[in-house]
Amino acid sequence: QLDLLRSMLPSEALEPAMADAERSGLLGHDPSGELTFTSRLVRDIVYDATPADVRRRLHSMAAAAVEAMSPDIALLGHHHDLAGHAKEAITLLRRAGDHASEQLDEVGAGQFFHRALVAVRQAVHVGDDDGTAEAQFVMLSVKLADVLRTRGETALARGVLAEARDWSGSPLLVALIDRASASIALSEGDVDGAIAALRRGVGR
């Protein structure tokens, strides 16, 4: 969006650059007036050719612009994630996934929950865990597994829960995984398996 771009970058640098790109056929406007690349291939080449530190800085600037002008949690989480702000991205991406799920957008919900899981791993990797990573990883895994179950991708859902078990030693969190496993078994018509998983959860 042009207003977001203009809030990110000084107009004396931005306006001539946009005009030059439009004259060259790299940029155009869609019917809503938003600035777009005329070719997806050009877009991907430009993005991949941009140095990683510059990309992160631009995403950080975009996150600040979105936060100031239109607090779209999905867009804000996207930019924080790609700026390398894993801790900030986790909550935003989880909320975006919850919203997508409420709107019956299972594909979008799955993408947001998966990105939030990756952000948890990244936060732990860089030592930015405030002690909530274990619980967040399990809760997000359960949400993602539920979305995959709804989409009929039960094998993937089981894999997500298996990884979550490796992350958690808390009986309460493992009980949540047991309950999610029971839902998968029930969706497959395995009533005995569902009962066994629920009994394990109750025991924990």
Side-chain angles (χ1 to χ4, degrees):
Q1 295 176 0
L2 284 171
D3 56 347
L4 288 175
L5 270 177
R6 287 174 177 137
S7 71
M8 286 171 57
L9 299 165
S11 59
E12 62 270 14
L14 179 64
E15 301 298 337
M18 287 196 304
D20 188 41
E22 286 190 63
R23 278 194 303 272
S24 302
L26 298 177
L27 297 179
H29 294 271
D30 70 6
S32 71
E34 288 189 6
L35 195 65
T36 62
F37 280 101
T38 54
S39 161
R40 186 183 182 93
L41 180 61
V42 169
R43 184 201 71 172
D44 291 347
I45 290 171
V46 168
Y47 190 80
D48 291 342
T50 303
D53 61 323
V54 175
R55 280 205 306 264
R56 286 193 296 270
R57 187 169 70 251
L58 287 170
H59 280 297
S60 184
M61 293 165 67
V66 171
E67 196 162 19
M69 300 184 66
S70 63
D72 177 334
I73 56 170
L75 191 58
L76 191 55
H78 167 77
H79 285 300
H80 273 304
D81 183 26
L82 294 178
H85 307 158
K87 193 173 177 182
E88 292 85 350
I90 294 167
T91 302
L92 292 164
L93 292 171
R94 188 197 70 231
R95 288 172 56 201
D98 287 338
H99 179 71
S101 185
E102 289 165 6
Q103 302 303 310
L104 305 181
D105 176 10
E106 303 298 345
V107 173
Q111 290 172 343
F112 284 123
F113 290 143
H114 178 261
R115 288 183 66 180
L117 276 174
V118 173
V120 173
R121 290 194 198 101
Q122 185 182 355
V124 171
H125 179 69
V126 299
D128 200 17
D129 175 21
D130 57 3
T132 64
E134 178 187 2
Q136 289 191 97
F137 194 89
V138 171
M139 297 293 283
L140 285 164
S141 296
V142 167
K143 286 175 182 284
L144 177 56
D146 191 55
V147 168
L148 292 170
R149 176 188 62 79
T150 303
R151 287 163 46 182
E153 299 179 61
T154 53
L156 278 176
R158 290 184 190 283
V160 168
L161 294 180
E163 184 180 8
R165 285 185 194 278
D166 292 338
W167 270 69
S168 179
S170 161
L172 183 60
L173 293 176
V174 178
L176 290 176
I177 298 169
D178 288 332
R179 185 173 68 178
S181 297
S183 294
I184 294 171
L186 196 59
S187 72
E188 295 175 329
D190 180 9
V191 177
D192 291 339
I195 291 171
L198 288 172
R199 285 188 185 281
R200 284 196 302 271
V202 169
R204 289 189 170 97

